[in-house]
Amino acid sequence: MIEAACAKLGRQINVMEVCGTHTVAIFRSGIKSILPEGLKLLSGPGCPVCVTDQSYIDTVLQLAGRDDCIIATYGDMIRVPGKGGSLETKQSKAGVKVVLSSEDALQLARDNPEKKIVFVAVGFETTTPATAVAVMEAAEQGIDNFYILSSHKLVVPAMRALLSAKNNNIDAFLCPGHVSVITGYGVFREIVDDFKRPCVVAGFEAMQIIEGLAEICRQLVAGRPELKSMYSAVVTEQGNTAAQGIVAKCFEPADGYWRGLGKIEKSTLRLREKYSKFDAFKQFNITETPGKEATGCRCGEVLCGLIDPPQCGLFATSCTPDDPVGACMVSTEGACSAWFKYGRKEKREQ
Amino acid sequence: MCLAIPARIIELDKDVAVVDAMGNRFKAKTTLLPEAEVGSLVLIHAGFAISLVDEEDAKKTWDLFREISEFDDTPNKISG
Ligand code: SF4
C-alpha cells in the first residue's frame, strides 16, 4: 500500500511525527529501513525537553543557584546544558531534586517549609493535568512555599506554526497517541480543515505505526485529507474531559517561546491570575526572553524537520549523548539522540 | 516524554491507588479518572491514571516500554 502510494504520487512524501515516543519507537523498530525511498519520516517538535527554550533552562539554573530554593524536576531535564552547567552539576548542592510526579514536588514543599520549592513544569497536554492537580491541592491545603515554573506546551499551535512557515515540507502528521488520550483526537481537526493535511493518531507499536502511515498514504493518493484515529483502544474524540476541566481551571494559554520555532501565539500554558501566588515567573520576577542556542547547534532546524541530525556539523563529533551540546541530544526522545543510537547506519546526506 | 505506562489498580482509597505494572508496584492517583476502580487496567503518566486501557493494548505498550527502558539509561524518563 505504502509503496504503491509513493509510486502513484511520484514525489517524495514527508510525514512528521510530533511525539518523542514515536521517534524512539520508529528508530527502535527499524521501520525507516523498510519504508520506500519516497517516504520520509521527519521528527517534529514532540519531545518536551527538546522544545523547551534555552532561556527557560537558564532561568531554572539561576533559581537552582539560590540558597532559599529547591528545584523539583522530572529526570529528563537535569542534563540539559545551559549557562554555567546543567541541573545535574548543581544537584550536589542539594538544591535540585528529581521527582517522578508533581505530587512528589508538593510533598517536598510540605517536608521543607523553610525552603521555596520550584517545580519545573514542562511537558505537553499529557503532563499538564498532573501539574494542575498539584496546584489545586496546594491551594486547598494552604501550602505557600510551592511554585510552578510553567513551560507546559500545546501541540496544535506548534503544528500550525510549522505549517505556516514558508519553507515547510510537511505532507501529513502522525499525531501523538498519549497527548490525544487527554485532548481527544478532535483537537487535530483544525489542522485538517485549515491546512488540508492528513492527521492520523497512531499507537506506538511497530504495526500500529505502519498502519498509520498506510492510512496517510491512502489519504494522500485519494487527495482527501482526513482526521483519523487508529488508536481506538485508549483514544476517543473528546479525550479525558475531567483532566481538561482541571487544566482549564488552573491555566490559560499565553504566547510562548519554543526552541527552534521561536515565539508561538497561545502555545504555552500560564497559571491563571487566581493562582498567581504559585506562579514562579511572577513571584521571582522573571521575564521571558527568547534564548540563544549553543553555537553550531542546529536543534531548531532538526525540530522543524528541515534537516536530519547528521547534517549538523557537531553530530557525533563534539555532540554525543554522553556529552551533549543541544537538547535534542540530551533527551532519549530527542531526534539527535535517536539518530545517534540507532540511525547512524541510515545516514543520508542531502 | 509522553509515554504512559499501563498498570492494574490493586488497591484504591479515595483517589490514591496502588497499581501494578510489569510486576512493579507503586502509588498513583486517580483524580483525573474518577471512573477507575480496583481491577481496572489504566494508563499511568507522571503519577496519574489518565485513561482506561484494554488488555491487548496494555501488552503492546509493556513490550515497547521494556524496549525503551533498555534503550535509555537515564532514570525516570517521565516528563512530557
Ligand atoms: S547534533 Fe547536537 S549540536 Fe547538532 S543539532 Fe543535535 S543536539 Fe544540536
Side-chain angles (χ1 to χ4, degrees):
Chain A
M1 166 74 215
I2 296 178
E3 249 163 70
C6 290
K8 216 169 196 167
L9 286 165
R11 63 176 174 94
Q12 182 170 300
I13 306 169
N14 297 315
V15 178
M16 178 174 271
E17 88 265 356
V18 235
C19 164
T21 309
H22 272 148
T23 307
V24 172
I26 285 165
F27 274 100
R28 172 77 205 180
S29 61
I31 290 177
K32 280 199 176 192
S33 56
I34 60 163
L35 291 177
E37 279 279 294
L39 180 66
K40 187 167 182 202
L41 295 179
L42 309 172
S43 303
C47 144
V49 177
C50 308
V51 301
T52 302
D53 189 71
Q54 196 59 41
S55 69
Y56 178 89
I57 309 284
D58 291 337
T59 299
V60 174
L61 285 167
Q62 204 187 327
L63 291 174
R66 288 174 56 137
D67 291 336
D68 59 342
C69 286
I70 295 178
I71 305 292
T73 175
Y74 293 121
D76 327 38
M77 290 296 286
I78 66 166
R79 296 187 57 228
V80 185
K83 268 196 202 117
S86 67
L87 285 175
E88 196 172 43
T89 55
K90 301 223 183 226
Q91 206 173 10
S92 53
K93 289 208 295 185
V96 179
K97 290 265 191 288
V98 171
V99 294
L100 292 168
S101 104
S102 56
E103 290 286 307
D104 297 349
L106 196 54
Q107 192 55 42
L108 276 174
R110 291 190 194 99
D111 296 345
N112 299 277
E114 74 293 351
K115 294 272 190 189
K116 296 175 170 155
I117 310 303
V118 180
F119 180 54
V120 179
V122 296
F124 291 107
E125 287 90 334
T126 329
T127 319
T128 316
T131 307
V133 171
V135 171
M136 302 287 251
E137 264 182 53
E140 273 162 29
Q141 298 169 13
I143 297 173
D144 56 9
N145 61 331
F146 182 64
Y147 304 91
I148 300 289
L149 192 70
S150 173
S151 179
H152 281 305
K153 297 264 189 281
L154 300 169
V155 169
V156 171
M159 291 163 76
R160 295 189 73 96
L162 283 168
L163 292 175
S164 304
K166 275 198 205 80
N167 57 350
N168 93 81
N169 53 358
I170 304 158
D171 294 301
F173 283 107
L174 193 66
C175 297
H178 288 149
V179 162
S180 309
V181 168
I182 300 289
T183 62
Y185 66 81
V187 289
F188 300 110
R189 189 175 306 281
E190 59 177 272
I191 302 291
V192 179
D193 289 349
D194 296 351
F195 296 93
K196 312 287 175 245
R197 301 295 205 284
C199 284
V200 174
V201 179
F204 299 99
E205 191 244 352
M207 250 345 267
Q208 294 174 315
I209 294 173
I210 291 173
E211 280 165 15
L213 293 172
E215 169 62 23
I216 285 173
C217 289
R218 188 193 64 76
Q219 292 183 21
L220 288 171
V221 169
R224 235 181 305 124
E226 288 170 48
L227 171 64
K228 187 145 187 182
S229 170
M230 319 280 286
Y231 197 28
S232 51
V234 287
V235 174
T236 60
E237 184 162 4
Q238 283 77 30
N240 182 332
T241 48
Q244 291 164 21
I246 207 163
V247 168
K249 254 191 202 161
C250 284
F251 291 101
E252 59 191 349
D255 299 352
Y257 294 107
W258 295 57
R259 188 187 296 273
L261 284 82
K263 188 175 186 172
I264 304 177
E265 258 177 45
K266 299 211 178 337
S267 65
T268 296
L269 293 173
R270 289 271 171 268
L271 281 173
R272 287 185 183 277
E273 191 55 40
K274 192 176 165 206
Y275 297 102
S276 60
K277 72 172 193 170
F278 302 107
D279 190 336
F281 283 106
K282 294 201 175 123
Q283 301 307 325
F284 295 95
N285 275 324
I286 301 158
T287 39
E288 267 198 297
T289 46
K292 258 204 168 149
E293 274 161 45
T295 336
C297 173
R298 298 176 71 183
C299 272
E301 289 158 276
V302 170
L303 288 168
C304 295
L306 298 174
I307 62 166
D308 283 333
Q311 288 170 260
C312 166
L314 306 185
F315 180 82
T317 53
S318 52
C319 182
T320 62
D322 285 335
D323 192 9
V325 174
C328 299
M329 190 60 97
V330 174
S331 170
T332 318
E333 299 148 64
C336 296
S337 152
W339 271 87
F340 186 89
K341 292 189 185 173
Y342 288 118
R344 280 197 290 170
K345 283 190 221 85
E346 299 175 42
K347 183 163 175 166
R348 241 182 313 182
E349 299 295 347
Q350 283 176 343
Chain B
M1 147 178 249
C2 294
L3 188 65
I5 314 160
R8 194 175 303 279
I9 298 182
I10 308 292
E11 288 167 30
L12 186 61
D13 179 14
K14 289 195 197 104
D15 64 348
V16 181
V18 175
V19 299
D20 181 295
M22 303 183 284
N24 300 313
R25 293 207 170 178
F26 52 94
K27 271 199 183 147
K29 295 195 78 174
T30 59
T31 331
L32 303 169
L33 196 68
E35 62 267 41
E37 44 192 56
V38 171
S40 300
L41 206 47
V42 296
L43 277 181
I44 308 281
H45 174 76
F48 285 84
I50 56 170
S51 87
L52 296 169
V53 57
D54 66 26
E55 288 285 341
E56 198 198 341
D57 193 72
K59 286 208 185 91
K60 284 180 190 164
T61 313
W62 278 326
D63 287 342
L64 177 75
F65 201 77
R66 276 189 203 103
E67 289 178 1
I68 292 180
S69 311
E70 280 166 31
F71 169 88
D72 187 15
D73 29 33
T74 46
N76 73 78
K77 49 248 171 279
I78 303 248
S79 76

